[in-house]
Amino acid sequence: MRGTVFHGPHDVRVERVADPEIKSPTDAIVRITRAAICGSDLHAYHGAMPAEPGFVLGHEGVGVIEEVGPGVTRLKKGQRVVVSGLVACGGCFYCRRGQPSQCSESGGAVFGYGKNAARNLGWLGGEQSEGIAVPMADYTCYPLPEGIDDEAAVFLADILPTSYFGALNGNIRPGDTVAIFGCGPVGLCAILSAGLFGPAEIIAVDTVPYRLELARKLGANPVDAAKAQDVILNRTNGRGADVTIEAVGNEGALNGAIMAARGGGTVSVIGVFMGPTFEFPIGLAFARDLTFRIGLANINAHIPELARCIERGAIDPRPLISHVLPLDDAAHGYDIFNARKDNVVKVLLKP
Ligand SMILES: [Zn+2]
Ligand SMILES: [Zn+2]
């Protein structure tokens, strides 16, 4: 089969790779029908992750079950599923508490980063490919109802649950002002997710005009990052936002999110941070009684409720899709997404 292989920084190529195989009784093989490129794939693309070349990228995909191992009980051949980016068992202490990102059986492994993220599962495949072997398939795959098409469903694999996790961690209440730092695909999904909790206003912060324009179409009030602190204070009688969500994974945005939160407010971080330390303004956090939340989203635990929201029309992530490219054009997809060319927001790949 073909897959999108990481060769080094700024060098990904679609080429022949080994066909996926059932290696454990709880594995399933999924033929991918739609995949997506994620902002966190760009960390690998930039060479910012200690990733050895040669692995297949991608942790966001939708497909059809081709084969199941003898230990798979809830899936059958021919079923349409979303494959969560996060592998989890569904039965351990953490999974039963709704925290699959801490799954003790998978180690919180994520597809699409080779062996570095795979921990005790060995070498994991990537979803930007024609097919993938899915470990712990009963809880890593989620069967899709007819009412959700592939292009909406691919958002369930990561960024919609991730943004929803950020909104949940923010403890948004009806009437709140929520400020979202970053209008990349995750930040834009956070507008949709935050909206489920009834805020009075969502302020979306970014520096890229076309992304701010899309934020506006999704129901947020857009503001350029340079003016964000002033605008947020002005719109909250000088208090600051009740909840701020950091959806970039950079220290500038994180500082902005901390500074913009009101006394007693919550800062919820869903951007990917991999650095060992961050200079945290602990005195300010103490004086302002801030709550600080951060974590890898419990994707699998949130797919069912978000699938229901898509199915019933409460959420539609498809306006984020700017490009649907053949899998063979994945390198072009990475190039435009990385360089923000061609008004790119979310790039889908079609094997
Ligand atoms: Zn992702
Ligand atoms: Zn588990």
Side-chain angles (χ1 to χ4, degrees):
M1 66 154 195
R2 292 168 306 143
T4 306
V5 178
F6 175 80
H7 282 274
H10 298 264
D11 183 7
V12 302
R13 299 175 214 164
V14 176
E15 53 195 33
R16 289 230 150 263
V17 295
D19 288 336
E21 289 173 15
I22 302 249
K23 289 187 181 134
S24 155
T26 53
D27 289 0
I29 306 293
V30 175
R31 175 171 56 80
I32 299 289
T33 53
R34 279 294 185 288
I37 302 176
C38 181
S40 46
D41 296 328
L42 292 181
H43 291 295
Y45 187 71
H46 294 151
M49 286 179 149
E52 285 171 40
F55 63 90
V56 178
L57 286 148
H59 58 266
E60 299 178 1
V62 171
V64 177
I65 302 276
E66 288 260 292
E67 192 185 342
V68 293
V72 174
T73 59
R74 296 201 288 265
L75 302 168
K76 48 184 187 293
K77 190 179 160 138
Q79 215 165 13
R80 271 178 79 231
V81 295
V82 55
V83 183
S84 170
L86 175 69
V87 178
C89 77
C92 72
F93 171 86
Y94 289 107
C95 285
R96 285 181 185 277
R97 293 171 68 97
Q99 288 184 279
S101 73
Q102 308 304 312
C103 175
S104 55
E105 299 304 302
S106 74
V110 176
F111 290 111
Y113 296 102
K115 66 183 175 185
N116 293 287
R119 304 184 194 174
N120 56 352
L121 291 172
W123 196 282
L124 283 181
E127 301 192 44
Q128 291 159 15
S129 65
E130 290 179 306
I132 189 166
V134 180
M136 304 175 189
D138 275 329
Y139 193 54
T140 306
C141 294
Y142 183 81
L144 289 166
E146 279 301 312
I148 305 181
D149 65 24
D150 280 7
E151 297 193 345
V154 79
F155 288 84
L156 291 168
D158 173 11
I159 66 170
L160 197 52
T162 291
S163 69
Y164 180 75
F165 172 79
L168 278 178
N169 277 351
N171 191 26
I172 300 166
R173 298 184 204 182
D176 276 356
T177 295
V178 178
I180 296 171
F181 285 75
C183 295
V186 173
L188 293 167
C189 277
I191 296 171
L192 300 175
S193 290
L196 294 170
F197 298 87
E201 181 175 21
I202 299 171
I203 298 172
V205 181
D206 204 288
T207 56
V208 182
Y210 75 84
R211 292 187 168 185
L212 288 168
E213 177 54 23
L214 184 50
R216 192 185 61 73
K217 285 184 183 149
L218 295 173
N221 287 324
V223 53
D224 185 81
K227 298 180 194 143
Q229 299 295 333
D230 287 346
V231 170
I232 292 165
L233 288 175
N234 278 337
R235 296 191 70 85
T236 55
N237 292 329
R239 289 191 299 270
D242 302 285
V243 179
T244 62
I245 297 176
E246 197 281 348
V248 185
N250 91 30
E251 295 194 2
L254 179 50
N255 265 314
I258 293 170
M259 298 312 293
R262 71 161 164 82
T266 299
V267 180
S268 172
V269 181
I270 47 177
V272 176
F273 283 89
M274 282 176 301
T277 58
F278 166 68
E279 204 161 304
F280 188 77
I282 195 161
L284 177 130
F286 172 77
R288 284 208 200 151
D289 185 19
L290 292 184
T291 299
F292 186 83
R293 299 290 305 268
I294 185 168
L296 175 62
N298 292 306
I299 295 171
N300 313 37
H302 299 313
I303 290 176
E305 60 245 44
L306 290 166
R308 180 102 182 127
C309 286
I310 293 176
E311 192 185 10
R312 292 296 171 211
I315 275 187
D316 184 2
R318 290 172 296 186
L320 275 67
I321 300 169
S322 58
H323 296 74
V324 182
L325 304 175
L327 176 66
D328 284 334
D329 291 346
H332 175 63
Y334 271 88
D335 178 49
I336 58 173
F337 189 41
N338 178 56
R340 293 179 183 164
K341 288 182 202 161
D342 202 11
N343 287 0
V344 66
V345 180
K346 190 70 173 169
V347 179
L348 267 47
L349 299 171
K350 202 172 160 180

